[in-house]
Amino acid sequence: MDQTPNLRLPYIAPSQAQKHVTHNEAIRALDALVQLVVIDRALTEPPLEPEEGDRHIAGPAASGFWSGKDNQVAAWQDGAWTFFPPQDGWYAWIMTERKFVVFDETIWTEVKTGTNPVPSVGINTIADETNRLSLKSSASLFDHAGGGHQLKINRADDTQAASLLFQSNYQGRAEMGTMWGRDFRIKTSADGNQWHDAMVADSATGIASFPGGIAHAATGKKQSGLIFLPAAEPEATIYQMAGSQNPPSAKLASVTSDILTFITNAAAMFFGSSMRGMAMVRIWNTTRSPAQSAWAKWDTALNGLQVSNAEHVRQWSVADTIQIVDPARKNIAVDISPLMQKLFGVVFAQDGVLLSAGANGESTIRCTDRSPVSACNLIIFNADEDRSFTMIGLYG
């Protein structure tokens, strides 16, 4: 072995004559490569008047005396060019570019000494493809440089999320921001899967709504405010049926998808025409055991009813008996989600309703049972209720 393994410096052999020649050759190599600083790395031909000690990195497709020496370190020593093939990991400072480079397999690449840009940053933890900036610390500070400071969260468009997510053991517990659309939202979760909107601020008006309600600070009890229906809808009829302690019933003539047709003229007995677009009423098939229910949302011109979901009546047959009174609870259930969607643009769990029965007075009904087919609460009437009711307002 007559050379060192890394820099290829010549060894002095035993009993070698003129040892100083070999020694000086090694010293020249060290002088050329240690603390490597080159003038440039773009020249493809050697300069015409090099000075002793000048060093270059031969450029691509080099010619002349540098032919075939691409990417090698060319040093002008003792009136001749000496070439040093680089190895992976060699560093060099390029004077003309003011850049620090490293040799990687076949090319010299700039070494980024700053963080603008870098693909990821981990502070006391490991960053990954999703969390490209990761910090593990008991606190963090975003300070001002001048008078103020803004934290900006940008998204591609209104269909994407721009939010702050608060976690516990890496499960979501609360989130705030524009998760979809342009409205600002605050939502909460107990398990990281099911979420509830606590506040929604309309982006166009700035009006804030609280879908989950507001609790009294002292009692913790939910507070409700009366929301009057728009003046443009004075006849919001949500109940127009003749109730009876002995519930009226009718037999089915046909079941076609979501349309039920009766043998007798019974549709108006179950669903008043004024309720169209305002309410749904629960109907019961008492032929089935146990009794099965569906939600009528419309009366038809065919002495029939349209239900909200055809799957609910898929097993119903001709001659089955239908009534609107719950055979077990002896009451009538009404869902007002169509009215909410039409007049407010949203369906929510109301705490109660204020109803008018015309000359028969007004009634306030508490609503606590959640509808199985929408996000609103049901309005429950007595089985013998025969008054018609229009909505004045609701509590929520």
Side-chain angles (χ1 to χ4, degrees), residues 175 186-191 193-199 211-212:
E175 188 172 8
I186 298 176
K187 59 180 185 176
T188 60
S189 175
D191 57 9
N193 295 315
Q194 185 175 5
W195 290 83
H196 306 279
D197 279 330
M199 188 202 77

Side-chain angles (χ1 to χ4, degrees), residues 318-339:
V318 173
D320 282 359
T321 300
I322 308 301
Q323 66 183 46
I324 59 171
V325 174
D326 185 329
R329 300 177 64 181
K330 307 302 181 183
N331 56 29
I332 300 172
V334 174
D335 178 305
I336 60 169
S337 60
L339 177 147

Side-chain angles (χ1 to χ4, degrees), residues 242-264:
S244 172
Q245 289 287 6
N246 298 311
S249 61
K251 292 188 179 296
L252 291 176
S254 66
V255 179
T256 306
S257 184
D258 61 345
I259 300 297
L260 306 178
T261 305
F262 296 98
I263 295 174
T264 58

Side-chain angles (χ1 to χ4, degrees), residues 367-390:
C367 304
T368 58
D369 294 345
R370 181 63 63 91
S371 171
V373 290
S374 77
C376 76
N377 285 339
L378 297 176
I379 302 176
I380 305 298
F381 293 97
N382 292 330
D384 61 348
E385 182 60 73
D386 59 2
R387 294 174 292 176
S388 294
F389 289 97
T390 59

Side-chain angles (χ1 to χ4, degrees), residues 173-360:
R173 292 293 180 264
E175 188 172 8
M176 61 187 295
T178 50
M179 278 70 85
W180 55 84
R182 297 186 178 183
D183 295 342
F184 180 82
R185 298 173 181 270
I186 298 176
K187 59 180 185 176
T188 60
S189 175
D191 57 9
N193 295 315
Q194 185 175 5
W195 290 83
H196 306 279
D197 279 330
M199 188 202 77
V200 180
D202 188 279
S203 60
T205 64
I207 296 175
S209 60
F210 301 88
I214 301 175
H216 191 279
T219 65
K221 299 296 184 180
K222 182 180 177 181
Q223 294 182 307
S224 295
L226 179 60
I227 305 171
F228 286 102
L229 266 59
E233 292 289 342
E235 296 297 329
T237 302
I238 57 99
Y239 186 87
Q240 189 187 37
M241 286 107 39
S244 172
Q245 289 287 6
N246 298 311
S249 61
K251 292 188 179 296
L252 291 176
S254 66
V255 179
T256 306
S257 184
D258 61 345
I259 300 297
L260 306 178
T261 305
F262 296 98
I263 295 174
T264 58
N265 186 17
M269 181 173 62
F270 299 138
F271 193 99
S273 60
S274 296
M275 296 169 60
R276 288 182 174 183
M278 293 295 171
M280 295 187 290
V281 65
R282 195 171 200 172
I283 58 175
W284 292 88
N285 185 328
T286 57
T287 301
R288 303 291 154 173
S289 181
Q292 297 178 0
S293 67
W295 290 87
K297 67 175 184 176
W298 205 265
D299 65 322
T300 74
L302 302 174
N303 186 32
L305 298 176
Q306 182 183 21
V307 297
S308 64
N309 190 333
E311 186 63 23
H312 293 168
V313 298
R314 184 173 58 86
Q315 298 180 346
W316 295 13
S317 303
V318 173
D320 282 359
T321 300
I322 308 301
Q323 66 183 46
I324 59 171
V325 174
D326 185 329
R329 300 177 64 181
K330 307 302 181 183
N331 56 29
I332 300 172
V334 174
D335 178 305
I336 60 169
S337 60
L339 177 147
M340 288 185 175
Q341 189 64 51
K342 178 179 179 180
L343 301 185
F344 300 108
V346 65
V347 179
F348 55 93
Q350 81 282 9
D351 297 319
V353 291
L354 177 60
L355 304 176
S356 172
N360 293 319

